[in-house]
Amino acid sequence: MTLKSILLSTIAGVAMSIAAPLSASAADCERGTLDERYCDVDGDLIADIPSDESELIDPDTLIFAYTPVEDPAVYKEAWSDFLTHLEKVTGKKSVFFPVQSNAAQIEAMRSGRLHIAGFNTGSNPLAVNCAGFRPFTIMASEDGGFGYEMEIITYPDSGIEKVEDIKGKDLAFTSETSNSGFKAPSAILKADYNMSAGTDFNPVFSGKHDNSILGVANKDYPAAAIANSVMHRMIEREVITPDQVKSIYKSQTFPTTGFGTVYNLKPELQDKIKEAFFTFPWEGSSLKKEFEKSNEGQFLEMNYKDFWDVIRKIDAANGVEYTCG
């Protein structure tokens, strides 16, 4: 099926609806698909840093949140060395803020309660358009490789050998804002297999990738759409064993979690935060201990406009609109 056909094959859209006041300086400017409180004069698809100094913030304590894909306690420890490094570079205190959902993470940044974040692949466009998120880096392997694949998994002896066998059964998704946990598999199932949720299979939502993976491993779900980077880390931590699951579909490679800042931090502070990411010493760190399980060992500079192009196309195929209020 052609890309044009895929884009014309839409399913129910996902809209993020969070009320917010309009900034006076953003009342009349170019903004593309960004919420009306932001401007995008330079056309890079992310919110411009405000030119009015009164709109800039310089918090004493920087709040950081990692995408809510797995156990927050595991990731609070994993990010501890990075946050210590962030404090040294910026001269500010830092706090790890555990979030329970993608929507809560976006709302926290939009409301000014979150300054630095890693938003998952599917949430990046919503965070950019609705929360003023300015992503600039992703994790990569030491040789520069990056990304992950969406896989549809089942368990041995489930009776599911190929994608078409899911018809008439439950398929676990994570949340409607997740790329690999909902948006990509929805578009692929519709475009490549002519299978729609509610008609050909029953969609159920687990909330998180680890819930979906554990659900399949424990035979609670017959099948699930998941990010394989999460599955690989769970296998490395011996949360599940490889023989508990099997893959029946693997997608193209997608960009992984994007890291960045909220748009209205002072420019010099945003620069210091970038410096902290790109000077972080991975060797022997708590971050490397966790993320080397998915072959990641550095922060790679990127830009939202190019790296998230395929994700915006998937959103278009799913009828997603970046509606914020």
Side-chain angles (χ1 to χ4, degrees), residues 230-242 245:
V230 178
M231 181 172 65
H232 296 159
R233 291 197 296 271
M234 292 177 70
I235 290 171
E236 285 292 325
R237 287 206 308 271
E238 299 183 349
V239 177
I240 65 167
T241 58
V245 297

Side-chain angles (χ1 to χ4, degrees), residues 33-35 38 45 110 124-132 304 322 324:
T33 59
L34 298 180
D35 184 59
Y38 312 119
L45 305 186
R110 184 171 169 87
N124 251 265
L126 283 168
V128 165
N129 285 277
C130 297
Y304 170 76
Y322 307 131
C324 312

Side-chain angles (χ1 to χ4, degrees), residues 16 67-68 100-107 119-120 123 175 177-178 207:
M16 179 64 62
T67 180
Q100 299 302 316
S101 70
N102 299 318
Q105 188 180 19
I106 293 171
E107 194 219 356
F119 283 99
N120 71 14
S123 291
S175 70
T177 56
S178 173

